[in-house]
Amino acid sequence: MAQFQWLNVSESSGGGALGVIFSVAFFRGLDPAEVVRRFSRGENSGQESDFGGLDDKAYEFVNETDGGDGGGYVGVFKVGEWCVAIEPHGWMVTLHEVVTELSRGCEVLAVTRHDYAAEHSFEYAIDGTVVTGYRLRHPHERYGSDPDRLNGFMQELGMGLDKPEDEAAWDAAWEENYDTAVPRGFALAAKVTGVQFRPDMLDRPMLVGPILEK
């Protein structure tokens, strides 16, 4: 999982390229413009930009809204048969009511890192239904229409899938998952999608558009 440690840099060490609050989603069955349209509820098909432009827009949005509404923007680019959507400073894509809507007629896998008021999370949805989801530090608490669907991959990554039976086991599970949760979440995403989210992907051109809520 060393290749995903760049997504796990602590705030005291600078937070890394994406900081300590961000989401990354993988879409199969849509092109980048359609992904942007879904985030913007049909209002916007995106403007060509780069990660710097995306991050600037998100930073301005955070300053205007005091950070309580996420980053407000998403950047999308194509990788093979998947689109990758980056949501700096945001967590909207892993909200249940959002990911189910985004996944209608397609497949979406999303991972959120959130070091503050929320928790790191993973959502895998197909055609409007969450198939498997879990909080990244709690792989033993899975949910969805098929919560065990990814168990084989999760076990390959060393995740403990059985619910701890006593306080000592809970403490051990927390210790085991605390620092490894985010890299393991992105490693699991790579196993499902075949896309390894790498730092050089931030150098790619992308379509940038707003995230509009209902």
Side-chain angles (χ1 to χ4, degrees), residues 55-168:
D55 202 41
D56 286 346
K57 285 182 176 292
Y59 186 75
E60 290 174 9
F61 182 87
V62 169
N63 282 339
E64 291 171 359
T65 59
D66 295 325
D69 297 313
Y73 285 86
V74 65
V76 184
F77 54 89
K78 189 87 168 168
V79 180
E81 62 179 9
W82 292 80
C83 286
V84 177
I86 303 173
E87 185 187 347
H89 310 289
W91 55 88
M92 295 298 175
V93 71
T94 51
L95 296 179
H96 179 83
E97 64 273 18
V98 175
V99 72
T100 50
E101 191 68 25
L102 289 173
S103 70
R104 294 194 183 280
C106 68
E107 186 175 352
V108 179
L109 189 154
V111 182
T112 290
R113 174 184 175 181
H114 198 310
D115 282 16
Y116 286 97
E119 288 200 64
H120 312 322
S121 55
F122 179 104
E123 299 284 337
Y124 178 44
I126 299 175
D127 196 18
T129 299
V130 173
V131 177
T132 305
Y134 73 101
R135 293 173 296 159
L136 294 188
R137 287 177 174 150
H138 303 268
H140 47 273
E141 296 177 348
R142 301 174 303 286
Y143 52 85
S145 64
D146 189 359
D148 296 334
R149 181 164 178 167
L150 306 181
N151 281 12
F153 288 150
M154 296 174 82
Q155 288 171 329
E156 288 175 12
L157 294 168
M159 298 187 199
L161 302 184
D162 296 329
K163 187 175 181 179
E165 296 181 353
D166 54 36
E167 186 174 349

Side-chain angles (χ1 to χ4, degrees), residues 31-42:
D31 62 25
E34 178 58 28
V35 173
V36 174
R37 281 194 291 273
R38 292 213 174 182
F39 276 101
S40 68
R41 301 194 175 277

Side-chain angles (χ1 to χ4, degrees), residues 2-61:
Q3 66 269 41
F4 300 109
Q5 287 297 332
W6 71 282
L7 298 160
N8 199 39
V9 179
S10 67
E11 187 170 30
S12 62
S13 298
L18 290 173
V20 298
I21 300 175
F22 64 86
S23 297
V24 179
F26 306 84
F27 288 75
R28 181 160 62 179
L30 303 177
D31 62 25
E34 178 58 28
V35 173
V36 174
R37 281 194 291 273
R38 292 213 174 182
F39 276 101
S40 68
R41 301 194 175 277
E43 297 295 320
N44 195 296
S45 297
Q47 302 293 321
E48 289 191 12
S49 186
D50 56 18
F51 178 72
L54 167 64
D55 202 41
D56 286 346
K57 285 182 176 292
Y59 186 75
E60 290 174 9
F61 182 87

